[in-house]
Amino acid sequence: MIRARVAGALALAWAAAALAVTPARAEVRPEGAVDAVGLVAADAFGGAATVDLWAPAGPLRLGGVLGLGALTSGDDQRSRVLMPVGASVGLVFGGDRRPFFDLRLRAGAWAGATSQGLRVGGWLAGGAYFGYALGPNVSLGAGVSAWLLAGHGHIVAVAPGLTFAWVPFED
């Protein structure tokens, strides 16, 4: 329970830091991405969807992430439905061009249902995406990340997936 509180506090701190490093503007224009990934582990498989919201600071993106996923396994103790939440950091290379390269690191906690009931654990994910700008405000990409679900039977999964990212229109 203490880990979940610490992870929540870290997520709020990251969000506050993201807003603090954003250049002064009349309004903050967050950027974001929606990802759909498959989760493939040694004895479990499933999928997840995540939403990242960032405050951009040049090529750096600072913000938070929220997701929903499920893993199934022949071992009931490793099957789970989970909701990851945490801090999200991105670094975009060539973001104003097409194509571009995007690195992302996420850390926080997951909460969900397992065969033993409701559980909470740590969550860490890092990945790389290759994207193509469809216009000045939207892009599509594909990539792969690695997920670590700590607690209640640690799971390390490879997560290939697709991403849809957006940047708000400038006035």
Side-chain angles (χ1 to χ4, degrees):
M1 192 55 93
I2 292 174
R3 287 183 188 171
R5 289 183 183 154
V6 170
L10 286 173
L12 288 174
W14 273 105
L19 293 175
V21 299
T22 302
R25 295 186 235 179
E27 63 182 87
V28 174
R29 295 179 181 266
E31 297 181 3
V34 176
D35 298 345
V37 299
L39 297 171
V40 182
D43 60 348
F45 66 93
T50 57
V51 176
D52 294 87
L53 289 176
W54 301 296
L60 186 65
R61 309 288 187 256
L62 299 172
V65 60
L66 179 66
L68 180 64
L71 281 166
T72 186
S73 173
D75 179 1
D76 287 341
Q77 294 184 8
R78 295 176 62 78
S79 295
R80 62 197 66 201
V81 175
L82 61 119
M83 179 178 252
V85 61
S88 176
V89 178
L91 186 60
V92 179
F93 299 95
D96 57 345
R97 298 188 318 259
R98 47 183 120 168
F100 64 90
F101 187 66
D102 183 3
L103 296 175
R104 296 183 196 161
L105 180 63
R106 302 164 174 147
W110 67 268
T114 69
S115 61
Q116 295 97 22
L118 298 178
R119 299 288 186 249
V120 176
W123 175 59
L124 181 66
Y129 291 87
F130 182 73
Y132 187 81
L134 301 175
N137 303 93
V138 297
S139 65
L140 288 175
V144 65
S145 57
W147 282 37
L148 169 64
L149 299 171
H152 312 289
H154 297 325
I155 296 176
V156 176
V158 175
L162 299 174
T163 186
F164 172 79
W166 72 92
V167 176
F169 288 99
E170 294 292 333
D171 292 331

